[in-house]
Amino acid sequence: MTNTVMVNDRSLASYIDHTILKPDAQRVEVERLCDEAIRFKFASVCVNPYWVPLVAQKLKGSGVLTCCVVGFPLGATFSECKAQETLACIQNGADEVDMVINVGALKDGDLDLVRDDIALVKKACAGKTLKVIIETCLLTDAQKETACRLSVEAGADFVKTSTGFGKAGATVADIALMRQTVGPLVGVKASGGVRSQADALAMIEAGASRVGASLSVTIIGA
C-alpha cells in the first residue's frame, strides 16, 4: 500500500524519473527499477544508453517512459557524437533524452556552439522529449540563465539541473531561477541530491515539473 502525496492534482510518483546511472549497474538492478516504476507509476526509468533496449522492452505498454542520458556525464564531446548516440537511443526505444551541454564552451562564452550542440541533439530526437542538463553547480547565476535561454532557443523541452556526478546537485534556488528564466511552457527537472519526500516537494513548489531520483520509492513513502 503506497502513501502517495498528491501535488497539484498529480501523484508525486508521476513527477519522478526513477534513475540508475551508476557505472556498475547490473541487469537485476535495472529490471527491479522497471518493476518499481510500473508498480508505482513513475514518469520514467532513466538509464545509460546500454540499458535502453532492456528498459523499453520491460516498460512496453505500461505507460512509463524510457529515458536515457547522452554525452554523459561531462558533455565535452563532439556534437555529432551526441547526435549519433541520441539517434541510437531513439531507435532502440528511448522516449526521452537527457543530454549534457558543453559546460566549458558555455563558460568560454561560445554561445553559438552551445546552442547548436543542443539543436543537433534535438533534431536527432525526432520528436521525442529532450531535457538539457546544464550542471548548475559549475555555473554562476548569469551562466545558468544563459544556459536555460540557449536551451529554449534550441528547442529543448526541459532544462535540468545536474548529472548527479558533479560537486553538488539541485537546489530550490536554482529551480526557481530556471523556472523564471524558461517560463511556464518549458519543463524544469530537479536532479542530484533529491533524497526525501520533503526535498522533492520543495523542488516542485519552486517550479520543478520533473524530479530525477534513485531513492524514488522512499520519496513517495511506499
Side-chain angles (χ1 to χ4, degrees):
M1 183 77 175
T2 62
N3 179 27
T4 308
V5 175
M6 303 299 292
V7 184
N8 297 330
D9 299 322
R10 289 171 55 189
S11 71
L12 181 56
S14 71
Y15 283 83
I16 295 175
D17 288 344
H18 198 24
T19 302
I20 185 165
L21 296 171
K22 62 182 183 177
D24 59 343
Q26 295 179 266
R27 184 183 183 97
V28 65
E29 296 175 283
V30 175
E31 289 182 333
R32 184 178 69 247
L33 249 71
C34 292
D35 291 339
E36 290 170 347
I38 293 168
R39 178 183 176 190
F40 298 115
K41 302 187 187 306
F42 293 125
S44 80
V45 171
C46 185
V47 292
N48 283 298
Y50 171 76
W51 295 111
V52 167
L54 171 64
V55 171
Q57 189 276 326
K58 288 280 291 182
L59 298 179
K60 187 176 181 179
S62 69
V64 179
L65 301 173
T66 299
C67 175
C68 68
V69 291
V70 161
F72 192 86
L74 302 179
T77 190
F78 296 110
S79 300
E80 293 79 7
C81 294
K82 293 180 186 178
Q84 286 299 316
E85 187 177 18
T86 298
L87 183 60
C89 290
I90 298 298
Q91 290 173 339
N92 279 280
D95 301 298
E96 300 189 333
V97 169
D98 291 17
M99 70 165 285
V100 187
I101 66 165
N102 190 320
V103 181
L106 177 71
K107 297 181 79 166
D108 276 339
D110 194 348
L111 305 189
D112 287 340
L113 186 151
V114 176
R115 184 191 299 105
D116 292 347
D117 185 56
I118 299 166
L120 195 62
V121 174
K122 177 61 178 178
K123 182 177 180 181
C125 280
K128 302 294 186 179
T129 297
L130 174 62
K131 308 191 201 91
V132 176
I133 306 170
I134 66 173
E135 201 68 292
T136 49
C137 66
L138 301 179
L139 305 177
T140 65
D141 282 353
Q143 289 166 341
K144 294 167 196 173
E145 291 176 348
T146 298
C148 287
R149 177 174 54 80
L150 294 172
S151 298
V152 173
E153 290 173 4
D157 302 287
F158 280 76
V159 289
K160 175 178 171 181
T161 57
S162 319
T163 61
F165 286 74
K167 60 184 180 181
T171 68
V172 167
D174 282 342
I175 292 297
L177 177 66
M178 293 164 72
R179 172 54 69 200
Q180 181 179 14
T181 304
V182 302
L185 301 181
V186 174
V188 176
K189 178 174 173 179
S191 185
V194 181
R195 298 186 175 91
S196 69
Q197 190 170 104
D199 290 340
L201 292 173
M203 298 298 175
I204 293 167
E205 185 175 353
S209 43
R210 197 77 70 86
V211 175
S214 57
L215 298 176
S216 313
V217 176
T218 299
I219 287 170
I220 65 168

